Amino acid sequence: VTEGPLVGRHVVISAGGTREPLDPVRYLGNRSSGKQGYALAASAARRGARVTLVSSASLPVPGGVELVPIETALDLQREMNARAGDADVIVMAAAVADFRPAEVGATKIKKKFGAGDPEAPTVELVRNPDILAGLVEARGEARRPYIVGFAAETGDADGDVLHHASAKLERKKCDLLVANEVGAGVTFGQDSSTVHLLRPGREPVTVGPADKNVISDTVWDAVQEELL
Ligand code: C5P
């Protein structure tokens, strides 16, 4: 695509869940499908951007998009940080595991340990870095890259979700926060969702329920308004 509002821009998007290994065959994961991040990548590519998608999801890669495969939060952090300097826009749509197993078994964890051992192992977890916070901090006072965060909120009323999301926008200090309501059967793995776009000093904009492609187009419309 040689024409469009994002021609000449490099956008780097993370999508899907991370997988934190316990041993060579098992991992801790989450329900993120990657669909929203992939839809954002496809939409940006249609608008002429050079798109890098950093993801563990196994969805078809949209045409013209470069995929950087990752597994863990630490992989994702390394790949995002390596590309931040060249990015005009960063979108952290990935559901990053907040914790990972402290130790990764070199061999498969067995059901039986031996006489006197406990019935079941205990998995110790350690904190993963907040990748989004690191990207915002590394940018410092610069206005580039424009940084978009996502917030998956569980709430029973929209008011709740908005309340949590605006607090999160202040904490995360990103330029745009896309907040969506999640829960079993809501958003994760679905083709549509309802989101709120929050920007500092602006009224929130609600989109949906709408197809994730429609939501993606609204997100890029909002981002384009702010690009220098
Ligand atoms: O605080 P919370 O996890 O809800 O924030 C969500 C946002 O932060 C998303 O954009 C997600 O990609 C990002 N995030 C991150 N590193 C983490 C956890 C979340 O970059 N360890």
Side-chain angles (χ1 to χ4, degrees):
V1 182
T2 53
E3 266 178 72
L6 292 175
V7 165
R9 308 287 191 175
H10 182 201
V11 312
V12 181
I13 300 169
S14 71
T18 63
R19 296 174 172 183
E20 308 298 330
L22 280 157
D23 68 19
V25 295
R26 304 187 182 93
Y27 60 81
L28 298 179
N30 61 66
R31 291 183 186 278
S32 173
S33 66
K35 280 180 184 170
Q36 183 63 73
Y38 274 61
L40 282 159
S43 172
R46 281 194 299 271
R47 289 165 184 239
R50 174 157 86 85
V51 183
T52 307
L53 183 58
V54 186
S55 181
S56 66
S58 45
L59 296 169
V61 181
V65 170
E66 183 205 0
L67 178 74
V68 177
I70 54 98
E71 287 279 325
T72 67
L74 292 177
D75 292 342
L76 180 58
Q77 182 185 46
R78 185 186 65 241
E79 300 301 339
M80 295 305 290
N81 287 350
R83 287 165 180 79
D86 184 58
D88 295 290
V89 183
I90 291 177
V91 182
M92 281 296 299
V96 185
D98 291 316
F99 307 99
R100 67 177 181 277
E103 280 171 31
V104 181
T107 56
K108 193 178 164 193
I109 300 166
K110 300 282 189 243
K111 268 195 278 291
K112 291 243 194 287
F113 312 99
D117 285 341
E119 270 294 297
T122 300
V123 177
E124 193 190 328
L125 302 176
V126 293
R127 279 294 284 271
N128 271 330
D130 188 323
I131 302 167
L132 177 62
L135 291 164
V136 169
E137 197 182 305
R139 179 179 67 170
E141 296 302 308
R143 299 211 38 203
R144 184 180 172 276
Y146 186 86
I147 301 179
V148 182
F150 267 72
E153 304 288 352
T154 48
D156 30 29
D158 261 2
D160 261 340
V161 172
L162 271 180
H163 182 78
H164 291 307
S166 52
K168 189 165 287 186
L169 175 67
E170 277 194 23
R171 238 185 4 256
K172 300 257 169 186
K173 297 187 168 55
C174 53
D175 303 303
L176 169 64
L177 188 73
V178 183
N180 54 2
E181 202 167 316
V182 296
V186 187
T187 301
F188 282 155
Q190 306 286 342
D191 290 325
S192 72
S193 71
T194 299
V195 303
H196 309 281
L197 307 188
L198 288 92
R199 284 168 288 185
R202 298 238 212 163
E203 283 301 307
V205 176
T206 299
V207 195
D211 188 89
K212 287 180 178 177
N213 291 309
V214 173
I215 290 176
S216 299
D217 280 325
T218 315
V219 169
W220 286 118
D221 287 345
V223 171
Q224 280 163 209
E225 282 173 24
E226 317 268 341
L227 288 184
L228 299 174

